[in-house]
């Protein structure tokens, strides 16, 4: 079950240290101009490499293999592929026989009886690269309808920042390595992160996402509510443990 | 999109003041003894009628129309029906031309261009009667595997109660009209509810659900995570605005 | 898996000698006037009772329990129910411990380990009553787009009739108890049917279905081709063993 | 809708003259040894290049990009890719502004408003390369259960050959360029094919497929019948116009 969506569907595939990760987007409308620079910028935004995240260098160049002809979507499945170029498994050799607490290693082992221990295998943050590529295509589609989706860190390691204007907050956060819209909060969060890292600990956080110009009537009335489907999508990201909608 | 589930699926149907509400459960395993008394007790637990909820009297007798032969499930679809016996629409006559704030009236109108204004139509809490009937069948199935699901109100109107032992809390809550496991908290919550009612206001709350004996490996690794699917299910209930998993 | 369709979905339920059979139609467009007389006439067309079919009297009155308000579809699921009024199981008592050759009795037993032996249970032609009810709704929808679907028997027991004009053939066939558009062919087929019945045998046949005013571009390009989906639907009817499209 | 299957699913993607074609197989069981030589032999069997088919040279080397670790399936999605190495679009330049009769060119244009005219785009026989790769994996899985699927040409251009023993017929057909199990029939069919080619015509044919050791109870009872699902699959292949099951 590696597919998300009903009318528009994305299937992701790939392991952290396999040859590549990628996705197939099905039922994407035809006639949309594909802005590849935008897709690449979205990949950059996701890419680890700051002081506080995984040290892996991921160039994450997206190759579009189908569904686009002369720069325009054709209505056929869009296959996107990202080669794994910096997949040095040696660092994970020690995990071959060890289950990391809090990771999905043990669950995979129980469920499948076999596991790709290199870098978390499929249960790696690396898998989200394929989601970001698909998400970039989705954003291009939403743009056509004037819908804008913006996200930023509202809380990191207990440091919270109040946000009045989501659009301005989003712009400020885009310039911040921690994606925090407030300079003071960022400095404080950095301090706590450094402390946590030297303690060998991890920290939690809260991300706020705001969508503008969403028309009334999207989503389905009962089980496929927009609220419910968004919660479903977000909870599918490893490490997400809670979702609240509006003043939830 | 009135269907939930993939391997085991439930489709609900029915409006608040239509002839009936009901559901069809598909791919339910064969060979399970159907405990109709248990199903009826679950319906009782859902039934409004206390001091603080809708005044509607709902007897909610579940009729099983298919999929069960000589008290045993046959593997074919189980159709369950609950007649709407106390569906007096006259109280809603005034809503024929008015949209209630915070209700789905306006969204239905925008999406479908037509709406059953009687008692909220399909966007009524009444629809959950069909879910409870299906949920009772699901509980009978989980029982076979020793899995027990328990829920209680952890917070009502800002009154929170701490819970050490979920099983004991569940037993206590079952005896409480507000399903609160703590007697003092219940009294305090009742006070606040009365106040809110006399102010013409509504209040929020938190429900805690605990599942015991769940084996490792249930759910799907990426999009169909057990966490994510539960969030999806719960957010589909009208008025639910947030979901947290474990120490989310 | 008792659901057919993706964008518009129908789920059927019910056993031959259970309380009722029925269906739930989901994602049916709102705003369509429901012509209940037409639905009932479609049920009549399906109803056995001629000299050459099952002797069961089926009144097949369809009750619409949801999804229709003041005669108009609302976009919510349409639940249709047909009570089983002439379900005398005693005639099947002898089949309690016997598997009929060519029927699904044995397969059900193998798959589910339990079986409703009364009248074929779910694997009965009775199940198609629910499909006809749903099909009648679908025809009402197609009518809105000027699409007309017509069917008639082209061959029965080896007697074939040539058809030049499908619309005229359809009109003639509607008046024929065997739904054969040619009077001579009908007489000959009747003779062969009588012979087969007195021999305790059954016969085969070919049904031709013609759809008019179908626009180009319906269906999906690869797996969900209109051809393929129609074949899928038709082969799901018990006793259908072959499908050909156009000059197949 | 480029996905086939429910419990085991395959999604194909790719255009005839795009960069590549491929597929993602989801929910494939873990722990199966992947015989890559077998997969490659299946690709060889499909490959055009005889006297009577498309002149395109397709090496069709399958690259497995995910879902297999140390030669064993892991339960995660299996992404398979086949580069399009001999995709010379110049031969199709003249079709840029012309719709070929009997091809899907016009339908695509009507449905999507844009079309990849190179080599039929997605509506090319080339797309079946991805299905064959997925089918090879499926055959490896069926082999585990002793199920063997065999196919051969039973009729080409009106030349029919009688088959007594499907297994022997299959072995003989495997050595025939036309996959006909009978040497005389093959010679006759070759003559007729040559004639048709010199007339600028095409011919029809019948393929017989036999599956051995299939257990009772596979498939779903009503809409997802094994018969119906097979018909659905086969009718999704371009140019297939009819399906018959057993003595259909």
């Amino acid at each position: 079950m590696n597919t998300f969506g009903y009318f528009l569907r994305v299937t992701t595939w790939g392991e952290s240290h396999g040859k590549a990760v990628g996705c197939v987007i099905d039922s994407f409308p035809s006639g949309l101009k594909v802005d590849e620079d935008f897709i690449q910028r979205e990949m950059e935004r996701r890419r680890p490499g700051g002081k506080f995240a995984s040290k892996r260098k991921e160039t994450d160049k997206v190759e579009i293999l189908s569904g686009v002809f002369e720069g325009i979507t054709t209505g056929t499945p869009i296959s996107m592929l990202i080669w794994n170029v910096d997949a040095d498994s040696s660092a994970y050799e020690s995990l071959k026989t060890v289950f990391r607490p809090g990771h999905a290693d043990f669950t995979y082992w129980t469920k499948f009886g076999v596991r790709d221990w290199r870098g978390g295998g499929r249960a790696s943050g690396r898998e989200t690269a394929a989601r970001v590529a698909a998400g970039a295509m989705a954003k291009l589609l939403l743009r056509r309808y004037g819908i804008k989706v913006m996200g930023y860190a509202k809380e990191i390691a207990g440091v919270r920042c109040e946000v009045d204007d989501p659009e301005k907050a989003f712009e400020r956060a885009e310039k911040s390595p921690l994606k925090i819209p407030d300079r003071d909060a960022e400095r404080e969060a950095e301090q706590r992160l450094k402390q946590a890292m030297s303690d060998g600990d991890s920290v939690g956080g809260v991300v706020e996402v705001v969508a503008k110009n969403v028309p009334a009537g999207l989503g389905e009335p009962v089980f496929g509510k927009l609220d419910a489907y968004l919660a479903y999508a977000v909870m599918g990201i490893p490490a997400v443990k809670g979702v609240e909608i509006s003043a939830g």
Side-chain angles (χ1 to χ4, degrees), chain A:
Chain A
M1 213 69 73
N2 293 273
T3 297
F4 183 78
Y6 195 82
F7 298 110
L8 176 60
R9 289 174 300 285
V10 60
T11 302
T12 71
W13 55 267
E15 281 79 42
S16 177
H17 289 231
K19 286 189 189 168
V21 298
C23 65
V24 182
I25 310 175
D26 201 357
S27 296
F28 197 92
S30 61
L32 192 92
K33 202 172 171 318
V34 177
D35 179 345
E36 292 206 37
D37 288 341
F38 174 76
I39 297 171
Q40 217 50 51
R41 281 202 303 278
E42 289 288 290
M43 299 306 292
E44 295 292 316
R45 290 179 66 226
R46 191 207 78 93
R47 203 171 64 178
K51 278 173 288 188
F52 303 110
S54 157
K55 290 290 172 263
R56 176 169 178 178
K57 268 163 209 63
E58 300 177 347
T59 51
D60 287 354
K61 177 79 194 80
V62 177
E63 263 190 74
I64 298 178
L65 299 174
S66 69
V68 177
F69 179 56
E70 299 178 340
I72 305 288
T73 58
T74 59
T76 59
I78 300 169
S79 177
M80 302 170 103
L81 181 148
I82 305 149
W83 296 103
N84 286 336
V85 288
D86 180 35
D88 175 11
S89 311
S90 62
Y92 290 89
E93 196 78 26
S94 62
L95 295 173
K96 211 167 163 171
T97 52
V98 175
F99 295 129
R100 291 173 296 171
H103 278 77
D105 300 343
F106 176 70
T107 316
Y108 269 75
W109 182 255
T110 306
K111 190 175 185 71
F112 295 118
V114 51
R115 115 190 129 95
D116 181 348
W117 46 266
R118 303 165 305 168
R122 178 132 180 91
S124 159
R126 178 77 186 144
E127 184 268 338
T128 61
R131 298 196 209 188
V132 168
M137 286 298 299
K139 278 186 179 174
L140 288 175
L141 186 58
L142 290 177
R143 207 196 256 177
R144 195 191 246 184
Y145 301 99
I147 300 174
K148 197 174 168 186
V149 181
M150 298 159 289
Y152 40 81
K154 189 159 190 182
E155 187 183 311
I156 292 182
V159 183
R160 196 174 183 89
C161 53
E162 292 313 312
V163 170
D164 286 324
D165 181 331
E167 290 197 87
K168 284 186 186 151
F170 175 60
E171 275 166 42
R172 280 199 305 273
E174 284 294 282
K175 291 170 197 138
S176 146
L178 292 178
K179 305 285 185 218
I180 278 195
D182 181 286
R183 199 63 199 90
D184 291 339
E186 185 175 51
R187 264 188 298 265
E188 173 69 13
E190 278 198 17
Q191 287 306 320
R192 297 204 191 174
L193 277 169
K194 274 178 196 157
Q195 187 59 46
M197 287 177 87
S198 73
D199 295 351
D201 202 359
S202 63
V203 302
V206 174
V207 173
E208 185 165 88
V209 180
V210 176
K212 293 205 71 161
N213 301 325
V214 180
L218 287 192
E220 297 295 320
V222 177
F223 291 113
K225 276 188 177 133
L226 189 55
D227 288 18
Y229 222 69
L230 290 175
Y232 179 46
V234 169
M235 291 290 267
I237 300 171
V240 173
K241 289 291 157 200
V243 180
E244 292 178 4
I245 303 283
S246 74

